[in-house]
Amino acid sequence: MILSYGPYAKGLSFQHGYKGNWARLIAAAPEVLVGSSNKYQNWELVDPERWVPDGYACLRIDSRGAGRSPGLLDVWSPRETLDLYHCVEWAGTQPWSNGKVGINGISYYAMNQWTVAALNPPHLAALCIWEGASDYYRELCRHGGILSDFLCSWFPRQVVSMQHGAGEGGARSAVTGELVAGPETLSQSALAANRADSPGEAKRRELYDAYYAARTGDFAKITLPLLSAANWGGMGLHTRGNFEGYLAAGSLQKWLEVHGDTHFTHFYSKYGEALQKRFFGHFLKGDDTGWERQPRVALNVRHPNETFVLRGENEWPLLSTRWSKYFLHPDGLRLAPEPPSTSMTLSYDAEGDGLTFRTPPMATSIEITGPVAAKLWLSSQTADADVFLALRLFDPHGNEITFIGSNDPRVPIGLGWLRASHRKLDPEKSLPYRPWHSHDEAWPLQPGEAVELDIEIWPTSIVIPPGYQLALSVRGKDYEVDGNDVALANAPYPMKGVGPFLHVDRDDRPAALFATENALHFAKDKQPYLLLPIIPERGNLNIRDPEE
């Protein structure tokens, strides 16, 4: 059985509720239109017409307070996790069930798997966690301690609009004709009283506390087989959690897969569907799907122009990684393997484009695959500073090369964020290539005094061709490609390079504190650098397509 539990209304058709994304999906993966009427398509969930013929029951459940389920709507709450536990146990004991339940789905339907799996429901047998964040504070609410505007954008648009009681204010099911968020229609005041203020909680809680901890899984208690699928272009929500959750899970049987393209393309594509069916066929039905030959880590290694090469590995990060420092040079704004010899300070306007450091054109091809980190020495004119890092690629003509991201069609190679007052590290969890900030107390800056910052850039992959340049931009605001929004039909938010994962709330980032001038410091004891995971050139391990 394939089960899913979430707030997006099980009766809302993909085609009606997400018109623009449906158009992009069928353009990218036209096979979706073959062999299915698509009548039962639902956002971020499997198509029953493609799974039931293979012997699966597909069960969709509206979470408490959403769709057709009454109650208090409190996303990712402990109450909701317990609800999901009971749903799994009910499903696993029905006469039409073989007693083995698998959870599958993208994003929300993936994220709640980390928390419910830690409770170990007896009938839960396998997890497919597709582009699902695992750390409520660091990935969903506050990037590097900086408030992400995602919740305040997403919550009213995709959750409140589907709240139980929206009734006539919502859509009708194309299958049953019923109100997808009914049957009753409540007043706005009644609806507001029936939901938690999730965006407000994140805004009010700058430091990590029990609220965030309760919405983050106890990974060591996860023992079930799991497939964790990440998106290289999922910066802001759909990358880091799949790597960190995979690494932290106590499961002995766990696999990592990483792909590119949109948030939804490969969940529905021939490639992604075949991967999921081999996984669930093995663990839910006991079929010989060839899963025992699946590499523990399957990477679609990224090249420019949306080219990917599938390669099997045994671990993450890769054992063959050559961790290489590329130092920031103030003269000429260069990135180079040798440290700078110049002592100086470079200032930049926190509201401007910042500073961009580039390598010389590459003499040979170079692969960067893994976590990335940066070390900077920075000062501000005030008691704090927000640092935004963008890892970028430029072609021989100086044009920036971007990639199709999960939630924006033009994303850079990688992104990282840190509020300077949150620079405190957890020494037990920090690694040279993945600093871990505790976010449990603020360390204000002294104006003009440089502080040492270790900044995580979320995992990435890029093979840089000869003649291309790698660049690191240090900014005081969100990355933008060229300042222009991409015009996509029915787009729910501007797309300038980071999609909905902006950081522009002036209550969290008051201009007097953050819209000032910052400076990078260079000296004999202050040599800022970028730590890159360079992978030696070798042959690719081909992963057989079972349908070939």
Side-chain angles (χ1 to χ4, degrees), residues 8 44 76 106-108 110-111 114 130-143 148 150-151 154 157-158 229-243 263 406-407 415 417 458 498 500-501 503:
Y8 296 150
E44 298 186 333
W76 292 296
I106 313 174
S107 193
Y108 199 104
M111 293 165 67
W114 297 114
W130 201 276
E131 299 192 28
S134 61
D135 190 315
Y136 193 75
Y137 180 94
R138 293 170 179 81
E139 296 156 16
L140 184 70
C141 296
R142 289 184 167 271
H143 298 138
S148 170
F150 174 72
L151 271 181
W154 163 83
R157 184 178 71 248
Q158 290 185 246
N231 189 324
W232 298 123
M235 296 164 288
L237 188 61
H238 299 119
T239 299
R240 182 186 189 272
N242 283 101
F243 289 97
H263 184 41
S406 64
N407 298 80
L415 293 173
W417 312 262
W458 287 11
V498 296
F501 308 110
H503 307 80

Short mmCIF file of all heavy atoms in Angstrom, two decimals, residues 8 44 76 106-108 110-111 114 130-143 148 150-151 154 157-158 229-243 263 406-407 415 417 458 498 500-501 503:
data_model
loop_
_atom_site.label_atom_id
_atom_site.label_comp_id
_atom_site.label_asym_id
_atom_site.label_seq_id
_atom_site.Cartn_x
_atom_site.Cartn_y
_atom_site.Cartn_z
N TYR A 8 -2.98 19.42 1.26
CA TYR A 8 -3.26 20.05 -0.03
C TYR A 8 -4.60 19.63 -0.65
O TYR A 8 -4.85 19.96 -1.81
CB TYR A 8 -2.13 19.75 -1.01
CG TYR A 8 -0.80 20.34 -0.61
CD1 TYR A 8 0.40 19.73 -0.97
CD2 TYR A 8 -0.71 21.52 0.13
CE1 TYR A 8 1.62 20.26 -0.60
CE2 TYR A 8 0.50 22.06 0.50
CZ TYR A 8 1.67 21.44 0.13
OH TYR A 8 2.88 21.97 0.49
N GLU A 44 1.79 16.41 -6.13
CA GLU A 44 2.89 15.81 -5.38
C GLU A 44 2.63 14.38 -4.90
O GLU A 44 3.32 13.88 -4.02
CB GLU A 44 3.30 16.70 -4.19
CG GLU A 44 3.79 18.07 -4.64
CD GLU A 44 4.34 18.92 -3.53
OE1 GLU A 44 3.91 18.74 -2.37
OE2 GLU A 44 5.18 19.78 -3.81
N TRP A 76 2.91 20.19 10.41
CA TRP A 76 4.12 19.54 10.91
C TRP A 76 4.19 19.47 12.45
O TRP A 76 5.27 19.36 13.03
CB TRP A 76 5.38 20.22 10.37
CG TRP A 76 5.57 20.03 8.90
CD1 TRP A 76 5.78 18.85 8.25
CD2 TRP A 76 5.55 21.04 7.90
NE1 TRP A 76 5.89 19.09 6.90
CE2 TRP A 76 5.76 20.42 6.66
CE3 TRP A 76 5.39 22.42 7.93
CZ2 TRP A 76 5.82 21.11 5.46
CZ3 TRP A 76 5.43 23.13 6.73
CH2 TRP A 76 5.64 22.47 5.52
N ILE A 106 6.00 13.96 -2.47
CA ILE A 106 6.99 15.04 -2.55
C ILE A 106 6.76 16.06 -1.44
O ILE A 106 5.64 16.29 -1.00
CB ILE A 106 6.89 15.77 -3.91
CG1 ILE A 106 6.81 14.79 -5.08
CG2 ILE A 106 8.05 16.72 -4.11
CD1 ILE A 106 6.57 15.47 -6.43
N SER A 107 7.83 16.70 -1.01
CA SER A 107 7.79 17.88 -0.15
C SER A 107 7.05 17.62 1.17
O SER A 107 7.54 16.90 2.02
CB SER A 107 7.20 19.07 -0.91
OG SER A 107 7.42 20.27 -0.21
N TYR A 108 5.86 18.20 1.33
CA TYR A 108 5.13 18.00 2.59
C TYR A 108 4.92 16.52 2.86
O TYR A 108 5.11 16.05 3.98
CB TYR A 108 3.76 18.71 2.53
CG TYR A 108 3.16 18.94 3.89
CD1 TYR A 108 3.17 20.20 4.46
CD2 TYR A 108 2.60 17.90 4.62
CE1 TYR A 108 2.64 20.43 5.72
CE2 TYR A 108 2.05 18.12 5.88
CZ TYR A 108 2.08 19.39 6.42
OH TYR A 108 1.55 19.60 7.67
N ALA A 110 6.70 14.23 2.02
CA ALA A 110 8.00 13.63 2.31
C ALA A 110 8.50 14.05 3.69
O ALA A 110 9.01 13.24 4.45
CB ALA A 110 9.01 14.03 1.24
N MET A 111 8.31 15.32 4.01
CA MET A 111 8.86 15.87 5.25
C MET A 111 8.29 15.20 6.49
O MET A 111 9.00 14.94 7.47
CB MET A 111 8.62 17.38 5.29
CG MET A 111 9.41 18.12 4.23
SD MET A 111 8.86 19.82 3.95
CE MET A 111 9.31 20.56 5.51
N TRP A 114 9.96 11.86 8.01
CA TRP A 114 11.07 11.85 8.95
C TRP A 114 10.58 11.77 10.40
O TRP A 114 11.20 11.09 11.23
CB TRP A 114 11.92 13.11 8.79
CG TRP A 114 12.59 13.31 7.48
CD1 TRP A 114 12.33 14.30 6.57
CD2 TRP A 114 13.65 12.53 6.91
NE1 TRP A 114 13.16 14.18 5.46
CE2 TRP A 114 13.97 13.10 5.65
CE3 TRP A 114 14.34 11.40 7.34
CZ2 TRP A 114 14.97 12.58 4.83
CZ3 TRP A 114 15.34 10.88 6.52
CH2 TRP A 114 15.65 11.46 5.28
N TRP A 130 10.84 12.10 -1.00
CA TRP A 130 11.21 12.76 -2.25
C TRP A 130 11.25 14.28 -2.05
O TRP A 130 10.22 14.91 -1.87
CB TRP A 130 10.22 12.40 -3.35
CG TRP A 130 10.75 12.59 -4.74
CD1 TRP A 130 10.76 13.76 -5.45
CD2 TRP A 130 11.31 11.59 -5.60
NE1 TRP A 130 11.30 13.54 -6.69
CE2 TRP A 130 11.65 12.22 -6.81
CE3 TRP A 130 11.55 10.22 -5.45
CZ2 TRP A 130 12.22 11.52 -7.88
CZ3 TRP A 130 12.13 9.53 -6.51
CH2 TRP A 130 12.45 10.17 -7.71
N GLU A 131 12.45 14.83 -2.06
CA GLU A 131 12.64 16.28 -1.89
C GLU A 131 11.92 16.78 -0.64
O GLU A 131 11.07 17.65 -0.69
CB GLU A 131 12.17 17.04 -3.14
CG GLU A 131 12.96 16.65 -4.39
CD GLU A 131 12.72 17.57 -5.56
OE1 GLU A 131 12.39 18.77 -5.35
OE2 GLU A 131 12.85 17.11 -6.71
N GLY A 132 12.29 16.22 0.50
CA GLY A 132 11.64 16.57 1.76
C GLY A 132 12.62 17.07 2.80
O GLY A 132 13.52 16.33 3.24
N ALA A 133 12.49 18.32 3.22
CA ALA A 133 13.34 18.90 4.25
C ALA A 133 13.25 18.08 5.53
O ALA A 133 12.21 17.47 5.83
CB ALA A 133 12.94 20.35 4.53
N SER A 134 14.33 18.06 6.30
CA SER A 134 14.34 17.27 7.53
C SER A 134 14.57 18.12 8.78
O SER A 134 14.37 17.65 9.89
CB SER A 134 15.43 16.19 7.45
OG SER A 134 16.72 16.76 7.31
N ASP A 135 14.99 19.38 8.60
CA ASP A 135 15.29 20.25 9.74
C ASP A 135 14.36 21.46 9.66
O ASP A 135 14.52 22.34 8.81
CB ASP A 135 16.75 20.70 9.67
CG ASP A 135 17.22 21.42 10.93
OD1 ASP A 135 16.47 22.30 11.43
OD2 ASP A 135 18.33 21.14 11.40
N TYR A 136 13.37 21.50 10.56
CA TYR A 136 12.32 22.52 10.48
C TYR A 136 12.90 23.93 10.62
O TYR A 136 12.43 24.86 9.95
CB TYR A 136 11.29 22.27 11.58
CG TYR A 136 10.01 23.06 11.42
CD1 TYR A 136 9.07 22.70 10.45
CD2 TYR A 136 9.73 24.15 12.23
CE1 TYR A 136 7.89 23.41 10.30
CE2 TYR A 136 8.55 24.87 12.08
CZ TYR A 136 7.63 24.50 11.12
OH TYR A 136 6.48 25.21 10.96
N TYR A 137 13.90 24.10 11.46
CA TYR A 137 14.49 25.43 11.66
C TYR A 137 15.40 25.81 10.49
O TYR A 137 15.21 26.84 9.84
CB TYR A 137 15.29 25.45 12.96
CG TYR A 137 15.93 26.81 13.26
CD1 TYR A 137 15.27 27.73 14.06
CD2 TYR A 137 17.17 27.15 12.73
CE1 TYR A 137 15.85 28.97 14.33
CE2 TYR A 137 17.75 28.38 12.99
CZ TYR A 137 17.09 29.29 13.79
OH TYR A 137 17.65 30.52 14.04
N ARG A 138 16.39 24.98 10.20
CA ARG A 138 17.46 25.35 9.28
C ARG A 138 17.07 25.32 7.81
O ARG A 138 17.71 25.99 6.99
CB ARG A 138 18.68 24.45 9.51
CG ARG A 138 19.33 24.66 10.87
CD ARG A 138 20.37 23.60 11.20
NE ARG A 138 21.00 23.85 12.48
CZ ARG A 138 20.45 23.52 13.66
NH1 ARG A 138 19.27 22.91 13.68
NH2 ARG A 138 21.07 23.79 14.78
N GLU A 139 16.04 24.56 7.46
CA GLU A 139 15.69 24.39 6.06
C GLU A 139 14.35 25.00 5.68
O GLU A 139 14.16 25.40 4.53
CB GLU A 139 15.68 22.90 5.71
CG GLU A 139 17.06 22.27 5.84
CD GLU A 139 17.03 20.77 6.07
OE1 GLU A 139 15.99 20.15 5.82
OE2 GLU A 139 18.05 20.23 6.51
N LEU A 140 13.43 25.06 6.62
CA LEU A 140 12.10 25.56 6.30
C LEU A 140 11.88 26.99 6.78
O LEU A 140 11.36 27.83 6.05
CB LEU A 140 11.03 24.65 6.91
CG LEU A 140 9.58 25.01 6.57
CD1 LEU A 140 9.28 24.72 5.12
CD2 LEU A 140 8.61 24.23 7.45
N CYS A 141 12.27 27.27 8.02
CA CYS A 141 11.93 28.55 8.64
C CYS A 141 13.03 29.60 8.56
O CYS A 141 12.75 30.76 8.23
CB CYS A 141 11.54 28.34 10.10
SG CYS A 141 10.05 27.33 10.32
N ARG A 142 14.27 29.21 8.86
CA ARG A 142 15.33 30.21 8.99
C ARG A 142 16.63 29.68 8.40
O ARG A 142 17.27 28.80 8.97
CB ARG A 142 15.52 30.61 10.45
CG ARG A 142 14.35 31.43 10.98
CD ARG A 142 14.58 31.91 12.40
NE ARG A 142 13.60 32.94 12.74
CZ ARG A 142 13.76 34.24 12.54
NH1 ARG A 142 14.89 34.68 12.00
NH2 ARG A 142 12.82 35.11 12.87
N HIS A 143 17.03 30.23 7.27
CA HIS A 143 18.28 29.83 6.63
C HIS A 143 19.44 30.57 7.28
O HIS A 143 19.54 31.79 7.20
CB HIS A 143 18.23 30.17 5.13
CG HIS A 143 17.16 29.43 4.40
ND1 HIS A 143 16.35 30.03 3.45
CD2 HIS A 143 16.74 28.15 4.49
CE1 HIS A 143 15.51 29.13 2.97
NE2 HIS A 143 15.71 27.98 3.59
N SER A 148 13.13 32.93 6.48
CA SER A 148 12.72 32.68 5.09
C SER A 148 11.28 33.11 4.93
O SER A 148 10.42 32.80 5.77
CB SER A 148 12.86 31.19 4.76
OG SER A 148 12.25 30.90 3.52
N PHE A 150 9.29 31.94 2.86
CA PHE A 150 8.52 30.87 2.24
C PHE A 150 7.22 30.58 2.98
O PHE A 150 6.16 30.47 2.36
CB PHE A 150 9.36 29.59 2.16
CG PHE A 150 8.57 28.40 1.67
CD1 PHE A 150 8.18 28.31 0.34
CD2 PHE A 150 8.21 27.39 2.54
CE1 PHE A 150 7.44 27.23 -0.11
CE2 PHE A 150 7.47 26.30 2.11
CZ PHE A 150 7.09 26.22 0.77
N LEU A 151 7.28 30.46 4.30
CA LEU A 151 6.07 30.11 5.06
C LEU A 151 4.96 31.13 4.86
O LEU A 151 3.80 30.76 4.67
CB LEU A 151 6.39 29.96 6.54
CG LEU A 151 6.82 28.58 7.04
CD1 LEU A 151 7.07 28.63 8.55
CD2 LEU A 151 5.80 27.51 6.72
N TRP A 154 3.72 30.53 1.20
CA TRP A 154 3.13 29.22 0.95
C TRP A 154 1.87 28.96 1.78
O TRP A 154 0.88 28.43 1.27
CB TRP A 154 4.19 28.15 1.27
CG TRP A 154 3.69 26.77 1.47
CD1 TRP A 154 3.40 25.85 0.50
CD2 TRP A 154 3.44 26.12 2.72
NE1 TRP A 154 2.98 24.67 1.07
CE2 TRP A 154 2.99 24.81 2.43
CE3 TRP A 154 3.54 26.52 4.06
CZ2 TRP A 154 2.65 23.90 3.44
CZ3 TRP A 154 3.20 25.61 5.06
CH2 TRP A 154 2.76 24.33 4.75
N ARG A 157 -1.38 30.53 0.50
CA ARG A 157 -1.64 30.14 -0.89
C ARG A 157 -2.02 28.67 -1.02
O ARG A 157 -2.96 28.32 -1.73
CB ARG A 157 -0.39 30.44 -1.73
CG ARG A 157 -0.57 30.18 -3.21
CD ARG A 157 0.68 30.53 -3.99
NE ARG A 157 1.79 29.62 -3.77
CZ ARG A 157 2.91 29.92 -3.15
NH1 ARG A 157 3.07 31.14 -2.65
NH2 ARG A 157 3.87 29.03 -2.99
N GLN A 158 -1.32 27.79 -0.31
CA GLN A 158 -1.52 26.37 -0.53
C GLN A 158 -2.18 25.64 0.63
O GLN A 158 -2.69 24.53 0.44
CB GLN A 158 -0.19 25.69 -0.85
CG GLN A 158 0.36 26.06 -2.21
CD GLN A 158 1.61 25.28 -2.57
OE1 GLN A 158 2.69 25.86 -2.69
NE2 GLN A 158 1.50 23.98 -2.71
N ALA A 229 15.41 11.10 -1.83
CA ALA A 229 15.67 11.66 -3.16
C ALA A 229 15.75 13.18 -3.08
O ALA A 229 14.78 13.85 -2.72
CB ALA A 229 14.57 11.24 -4.14
N ALA A 230 16.91 13.73 -3.42
CA ALA A 230 17.15 15.17 -3.34
C ALA A 230 17.22 15.79 -4.72
O ALA A 230 17.38 15.10 -5.73
CB ALA A 230 18.46 15.44 -2.58
N ASN A 231 17.13 17.13 -4.77
CA ASN A 231 17.22 17.88 -6.01
C ASN A 231 18.38 18.87 -5.90
O ASN A 231 18.39 19.70 -4.99
CB ASN A 231 15.90 18.63 -6.26
CG ASN A 231 15.81 19.26 -7.63
OD1 ASN A 231 16.80 19.74 -8.17
ND2 ASN A 231 14.62 19.29 -8.20
N TRP A 232 19.35 18.76 -6.82
CA TRP A 232 20.48 19.70 -6.79
C TRP A 232 19.99 21.15 -6.84
O TRP A 232 20.61 22.04 -6.27
CB TRP A 232 21.39 19.48 -7.99
CG TRP A 232 22.08 18.16 -8.11
CD1 TRP A 232 22.01 17.29 -9.16
CD2 TRP A 232 22.98 17.55 -7.17
NE1 TRP A 232 22.79 16.18 -8.94
CE2 TRP A 232 23.41 16.31 -7.71
CE3 TRP A 232 23.47 17.91 -5.91
CZ2 TRP A 232 24.30 15.46 -7.07
CZ3 TRP A 232 24.35 17.06 -5.25
CH2 TRP A 232 24.75 15.85 -5.84
N GLY A 233 18.89 21.39 -7.52
CA GLY A 233 18.36 22.75 -7.67
C GLY A 233 17.31 23.10 -6.65
O GLY A 233 16.56 24.05 -6.84
N GLY A 234 17.24 22.33 -5.56
CA GLY A 234 16.21 22.56 -4.55
C GLY A 234 16.63 23.50 -3.44
O GLY A 234 16.12 23.43 -2.33
N MET A 235 17.56 24.39 -3.73
CA MET A 235 18.11 25.29 -2.71
C MET A 235 17.02 26.14 -2.09
O MET A 235 16.28 26.84 -2.77
CB MET A 235 19.17 26.18 -3.35
CG MET A 235 20.37 25.39 -3.86
SD MET A 235 21.39 26.35 -4.99
CE MET A 235 20.36 26.44 -6.43
N GLY A 236 16.92 26.06 -0.76
CA GLY A 236 15.88 26.79 -0.05
C GLY A 236 14.96 25.85 0.68
O GLY A 236 14.39 26.21 1.70
N LEU A 237 14.82 24.60 0.21
CA LEU A 237 13.94 23.65 0.90
C LEU A 237 14.18 22.20 0.50
O LEU A 237 14.06 21.31 1.33
CB LEU A 237 12.47 24.00 0.63
CG LEU A 237 11.42 23.22 1.44
CD1 LEU A 237 11.60 23.48 2.94
CD2 LEU A 237 10.01 23.61 1.02
N HIS A 238 14.55 21.92 -0.74
CA HIS A 238 14.46 20.55 -1.24
C HIS A 238 15.81 19.90 -1.57
O HIS A 238 15.87 19.05 -2.46
CB HIS A 238 13.56 20.53 -2.47
CG HIS A 238 12.17 20.99 -2.17
ND1 HIS A 238 11.59 22.10 -2.77
CD2 HIS A 238 11.24 20.52 -1.30
CE1 HIS A 238 10.37 22.27 -2.30
NE2 HIS A 238 10.14 21.34 -1.41
N THR A 239 16.85 20.32 -0.86
CA THR A 239 18.17 19.70 -1.08
C THR A 239 18.76 19.18 0.23
O THR A 239 18.89 17.98 0.44
CB THR A 239 19.15 20.71 -1.71
OG1 THR A 239 18.65 21.12 -2.97
CG2 THR A 239 20.51 20.06 -1.94
N ARG A 240 19.09 20.07 1.12
CA ARG A 240 19.87 19.73 2.31
C ARG A 240 19.25 18.62 3.14
O ARG A 240 19.93 17.69 3.60
CB ARG A 240 20.04 20.98 3.18
CG ARG A 240 20.87 20.79 4.44
CD ARG A 240 20.85 22.04 5.31
NE ARG A 240 21.79 21.99 6.41
CZ ARG A 240 21.52 21.47 7.60
NH1 ARG A 240 20.34 20.93 7.84
NH2 ARG A 240 22.43 21.49 8.56
N GLY A 241 17.93 18.68 3.35
CA GLY A 241 17.27 17.73 4.25
C GLY A 241 17.40 16.29 3.81
O GLY A 241 17.48 15.38 4.65
N ASN A 242 17.40 16.07 2.50
CA ASN A 242 17.52 14.69 2.03
C ASN A 242 18.92 14.13 2.27
O ASN A 242 19.08 12.93 2.50
CB ASN A 242 17.15 14.60 0.55
CG ASN A 242 15.65 14.65 0.33
OD1 ASN A 242 15.11 15.69 -0.02
ND2 ASN A 242 14.98 13.54 0.58
N PHE A 243 19.93 14.98 2.22
CA PHE A 243 21.29 14.53 2.54
C PHE A 243 21.45 14.33 4.05
O PHE A 243 21.93 13.29 4.50
CB PHE A 243 22.31 15.56 2.04
CG PHE A 243 22.45 15.61 0.56
CD1 PHE A 243 21.77 16.57 -0.18
CD2 PHE A 243 23.26 14.72 -0.11
CE1 PHE A 243 21.90 16.63 -1.56
CE2 PHE A 243 23.40 14.76 -1.49
CZ PHE A 243 22.70 15.72 -2.22
N HIS A 263 10.72 20.58 -9.34
CA HIS A 263 10.33 19.92 -8.09
C HIS A 263 9.53 18.65 -8.33
O HIS A 263 9.50 17.76 -7.49
CB HIS A 263 9.50 20.95 -7.30
CG HIS A 263 9.07 20.52 -5.96
ND1 HIS A 263 9.88 19.83 -5.09
CD2 HIS A 263 7.90 20.68 -5.31
CE1 HIS A 263 9.22 19.60 -3.97
NE2 HIS A 263 8.02 20.10 -4.09
N SER A 406 14.18 23.41 -8.49
CA SER A 406 12.92 22.80 -8.06
C SER A 406 11.78 23.81 -8.11
O SER A 406 10.66 23.49 -8.52
CB SER A 406 13.05 22.23 -6.65
OG SER A 406 13.30 23.27 -5.71
N ASN A 407 12.05 25.06 -7.75
CA ASN A 407 10.99 26.07 -7.65
C ASN A 407 11.30 27.36 -8.41
O ASN A 407 10.62 28.36 -8.21
CB ASN A 407 10.72 26.40 -6.18
CG ASN A 407 10.24 25.20 -5.40
OD1 ASN A 407 11.03 24.36 -5.00
ND2 ASN A 407 8.94 25.11 -5.20
N LEU A 415 23.74 27.80 -2.93
CA LEU A 415 23.45 28.96 -2.08
C LEU A 415 23.78 28.65 -0.63
O LEU A 415 23.67 27.50 -0.17
CB LEU A 415 21.97 29.35 -2.17
CG LEU A 415 21.44 29.90 -3.50
CD1 LEU A 415 19.92 30.06 -3.43
CD2 LEU A 415 22.11 31.22 -3.84
N TRP A 417 23.69 30.81 3.51
CA TRP A 417 23.23 31.97 4.25
C TRP A 417 23.78 31.90 5.68
O TRP A 417 23.96 30.82 6.24
CB TRP A 417 21.71 32.00 4.36
CG TRP A 417 20.92 31.77 3.10
CD1 TRP A 417 20.37 32.73 2.29
CD2 TRP A 417 20.57 30.52 2.51
NE1 TRP A 417 19.70 32.15 1.24
CE2 TRP A 417 19.80 30.79 1.35
CE3 TRP A 417 20.82 29.18 2.84
CZ2 TRP A 417 19.30 29.79 0.53
CZ3 TRP A 417 20.32 28.17 2.02
CH2 TRP A 417 19.57 28.49 0.89
N TRP A 458 24.76 24.64 0.58
CA TRP A 458 24.08 23.35 0.48
C TRP A 458 24.71 22.47 -0.61
O TRP A 458 25.25 22.98 -1.60
CB TRP A 458 22.60 23.55 0.23
CG TRP A 458 21.86 24.06 1.44
CD1 TRP A 458 22.41 24.52 2.61
CD2 TRP A 458 20.45 24.14 1.61
NE1 TRP A 458 21.42 24.89 3.49
CE2 TRP A 458 20.21 24.66 2.90
CE3 TRP A 458 19.36 23.83 0.79
CZ2 TRP A 458 18.91 24.87 3.40
CZ3 TRP A 458 18.07 24.04 1.28
CH2 TRP A 458 17.85 24.54 2.58
N VAL A 498 15.69 32.54 -6.95
CA VAL A 498 15.53 31.76 -5.71
C VAL A 498 14.08 31.36 -5.48
O VAL A 498 13.75 30.80 -4.44
CB VAL A 498 16.07 32.51 -4.47
CG1 VAL A 498 17.57 32.73 -4.59
CG2 VAL A 498 15.34 33.83 -4.26
N PRO A 500 10.42 31.13 -4.26
CA PRO A 500 9.73 31.71 -3.09
C PRO A 500 10.61 31.82 -1.85
O PRO A 500 10.13 32.25 -0.80
CB PRO A 500 8.59 30.70 -2.85
CG PRO A 500 9.18 29.40 -3.27
CD PRO A 500 10.08 29.71 -4.45
N PHE A 501 11.88 31.43 -1.96
CA PHE A 501 12.74 31.37 -0.78
C PHE A 501 13.52 32.68 -0.60
O PHE A 501 14.75 32.73 -0.60
CB PHE A 501 13.67 30.17 -0.88
CG PHE A 501 12.92 28.89 -1.16
CD1 PHE A 501 13.03 28.26 -2.37
CD2 PHE A 501 12.05 28.37 -0.20
CE1 PHE A 501 12.32 27.09 -2.63
CE2 PHE A 501 11.33 27.22 -0.46
CZ PHE A 501 11.45 26.58 -1.67
N HIS A 503 14.25 36.46 1.52
CA HIS A 503 14.52 36.88 2.90
C HIS A 503 14.41 38.41 2.93
O HIS A 503 15.42 39.11 2.98
CB HIS A 503 15.92 36.42 3.32
CG HIS A 503 16.17 34.96 3.11
ND1 HIS A 503 16.49 34.44 1.87
CD2 HIS A 503 16.11 33.91 3.98
CE1 HIS A 503 16.64 33.12 1.99
NE2 HIS A 503 16.42 32.78 3.25
#
